[in-house]
Amino acid sequence: MGDQNAARRLSPRRWRILSYLAQHGSASTLDVALVCAVSRLTAHRDLVWLHEAGLVRRERSPEDRTHTWWYGVTAEGTDVLRRALTASGRPVPLRLGQRPSGMADALLFLPLIEVSRRNPGRCELFQWVATMETSAWLRQHDLAQLRADGYGIWLQDGRCLRFLVHVDRGLAGDVVAEYERPASGRGGLLAGYRRAHRLVPVGAVLLIAQDAEREERLRADLLRGPLRNVVATTTRQLLYRHWPDEQVWQVPGKSGRRCLVEVAS
């Protein structure tokens, strides 16, 4: 099927799937179902159609016992999307179709989409901006030294939280001594904020630590040298076990863990 013919037959939902894959890297059928608010079967049918049209590719790891297919946009799909954006006068995002999947998507974006779906009218992920667009947004605010993994607006029970999120990548460099491991790569999460001369225009900065030990060291750093912004920390393990809007966030200097919407209180 030629890509021009396929483009003419794309429904609005299939355009959305193509756009999501081009800007967020790979995704599973379940991810697409969450983003598009449809059943898994509907998402599967759309992805199969896009795959047969040559607009997306799919692969799965032989080590994955669940045999999950992961989909990504092809060069043809990227070209179709780029031409459509140009023809409509909309800007073409940077590195369209060439972006790796982000940990922030898996740990925060998609779970918050699911929480929103389960609690209609009570909470909503009103906005989510991926890494590249977050960098552009920070540059507009003269904060080019910051490198966040995402920007979002979370609404819950009549309250609003604007946030930046950073995911701790863990060890920095190929060779790290055992005694350096707890601190390796950690300073980069905070360095940009320490160089900033003013408050970043968000309600909170969210830091997702690789594990509990690194979270405690992050909290100790923040207690010794607080940032201008409110900072809340959690771990990947907690986000694997709980929804991100629940009481999984710690604010340095405060006792206990808080719900997401309460971290800036």
Side-chain angles (χ1 to χ4, degrees), residues 161 203-204 206 230-232 249-251 258-265:
L161 177 70
L206 307 179
V230 173
V231 179
W249 303 95
Q250 290 192 90
V251 177
R258 299 184 175 196
C259 296
L260 178 60
V261 78
E262 296 174 344
V263 298
S265 300

Side-chain angles (χ1 to χ4, degrees), residues 108-110 112-113 116 123-128 152-155 163:
L108 207 60
F109 170 63
L110 292 170
L112 285 177
I113 288 287
S116 303
C123 54
E124 178 185 0
L125 183 60
F126 182 75
Q127 184 178 4
W128 176 266
I153 301 177
W154 177 246
L155 307 178
F163 61 83

Side-chain angles (χ1 to χ4, degrees), residues 140-152:
Q140 291 172 5
H141 288 84
D142 196 26
L143 294 163
Q145 76 275 16
L146 298 181
R147 293 290 184 270
D149 293 299
Y151 164 83

